[in-house]
């Protein structure tokens, strides 16, 4: 299974990709996670990426293509992958087509996680990660017992640096301007599937499995 998950920040791509990766036994490849790892490692590239991400802007297409080209030839991606956060521009979508052509592995589908714009803000401002388990939580939506479980396990609720209101507005604007054309790119090629991503995590997962 080779798929791309598309959707605005906060549409639940990461959450659903983490579940699908277990169900389908193919790696979850998140360019945002890869960039955050580079930032945490403190490399020169990581330092550059940090300021771009904190401003809510996009890392350049050629750098992203390099990162993804290296990742897709790793052995664990031989039988498929779930791309989360890539492609994010029309150029990246065209680059990915070319790369997959060269590798001889076409994409099965691009799935748009469709969510009303007003829900996104709450999802993003409330989003936290448990430092102990890596679990994604939301202070508005996750049952209190689950949040307490993280703290009881000795974990802390981590807030992503770019999940503040100013950066979020910028990221949503960048999504509209740069990433919505990617949706059209796949629609025109008859490869787009749209999933209603509003609702409980398990419900959305069931809808995803339905279209796959
Ligand atoms: P995400 O975790 O997918 O929301 O990504 C967090 C941030 O990483 C984005 O706001 C961008 O600054 C950067 N980023 C992630 N993926 C890409 C990409 N494909 N192209 C450019 N920048 C990216």
């Amino acid at each position: 299974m080779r798929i791309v998950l598309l959707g605005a920040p906060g549409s639940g791509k990461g959450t659903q990709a983490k579940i699908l990766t277990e169900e389908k036994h193919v790696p979850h490849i998140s360019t945002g996670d890869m960039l955050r790892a580079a930032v945490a490692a403190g490399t020169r590239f990581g330092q550059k990426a940090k300021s771009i991400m904190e401003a809510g802007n996009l890392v350049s297409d050629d750098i992203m293509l390099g990162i993804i080209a290296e990742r897709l030839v790793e052995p664990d991606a031989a039988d498929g992958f779930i791309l989360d956060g890539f492609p994010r521009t029309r150029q990246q979508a065209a680059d990915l087509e070319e790369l997959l052509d060269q590798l001889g592995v076409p994409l099965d589908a691009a799935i748009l996680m469709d969510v009303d714009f007003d829900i996104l803000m709450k999802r993003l401002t409330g989003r936290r990660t448990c430092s102990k388990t890596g679990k994604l939580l939301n202070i508005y939506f996750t049952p209190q017992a689950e949040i307490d479980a993280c703290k009881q396990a000795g974990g802390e609720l981590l807030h992503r640096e770019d999940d503040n209101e100013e950066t979020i507005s910028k990221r949503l604007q960048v999504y509209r301007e740069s990433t919505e054309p990617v949706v059209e790119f796949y629609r025109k090629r008859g490869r787009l599937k749209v999933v209603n991503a509003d609702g409980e995590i398990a419900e959305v997962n069931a809808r995803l499995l339905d279209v796959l």
Side-chain angles (χ1 to χ4, degrees):
M1 185 185 81
R2 294 180 180 84
I3 61 165
V4 162
L5 289 183
L6 297 171
S11 58
K13 300 187 298 293
T15 301
Q16 292 298 331
K18 282 196 169 84
I19 302 173
L20 276 182
T21 196
E22 301 292 326
E23 290 169 341
K24 299 286 181 181
H25 311 291
V26 290
H28 165 207
I29 301 180
S30 155
T31 44
D33 285 350
M34 291 164 89
L35 292 171
R36 279 183 286 278
V39 171
T43 59
R44 250 178 58 179
F45 167 66
Q47 284 166 14
K48 256 198 197 163
K50 183 174 173 14
S51 55
I52 295 172
M53 291 163 81
E54 279 176 3
N57 288 319
L58 295 181
V59 174
S60 74
D61 289 337
D62 50 337
I63 289 181
M64 293 313 302
L65 176 64
I67 291 178
I68 217 74
E70 275 184 15
R71 182 63 187 88
L72 291 185
V73 295
E74 294 279 321
D76 67 335
D79 293 330
F81 50 76
I82 301 161
L83 283 183
D84 159 16
F86 186 96
R88 237 178 172 98
T89 64
R90 208 193 164 285
Q91 182 63 48
Q92 291 180 11
D95 288 342
L96 179 65
E97 288 283 284
E98 206 180 306
L99 177 65
L100 294 179
D101 267 359
Q102 282 166 11
L103 296 174
V105 289
L107 207 62
D108 295 319
I111 302 175
L112 173 64
M113 312 263 299
D114 195 24
V115 172
D116 276 351
F117 216 66
D118 41 334
I119 299 179
L120 295 174
M121 205 66 177
K122 223 169 175 186
R123 285 202 182 165
L124 289 166
T125 52
R127 178 156 73 180
R128 302 288 185 276
T129 306
C130 176
S131 62
K132 197 86 184 175
T133 60
K135 210 168 172 199
L136 288 176
L137 307 165
N138 189 297
I139 55 168
Y140 301 118
F141 304 122
T142 307
Q144 191 59 40
E146 268 185 60
I147 293 181
D148 292 345
C150 167
K151 292 181 184 160
Q152 278 153 14
E156 268 179 85
L157 298 183
L158 303 179
H159 195 185
R160 265 173 58 164
E161 299 250 10
D162 57 354
D163 277 346
N164 61 73
E165 281 196 31
E166 197 186 329
T167 309
I168 288 169
S169 308
K170 176 69 184 169
R171 286 161 63 210
L172 291 173
Q173 181 199 341
V174 167
Y175 175 76
R176 277 193 298 259
E177 288 170 2
S178 303
T179 311
E180 276 183 356
V182 176
V183 175
E184 288 319 305
F185 178 96
Y186 288 114
R187 202 192 303 273
K188 271 195 203 131
R189 283 162 180 76
R191 220 101 52 75
L192 185 75
K193 296 184 183 194
V194 181
V195 163
N196 172 7
D198 187 2
E200 294 291 321
I201 293 172
E203 260 175 332
V204 178
N205 174 245
R207 291 183 204 134
L208 270 171
L209 292 175
D210 261 2
V211 302
L212 281 171

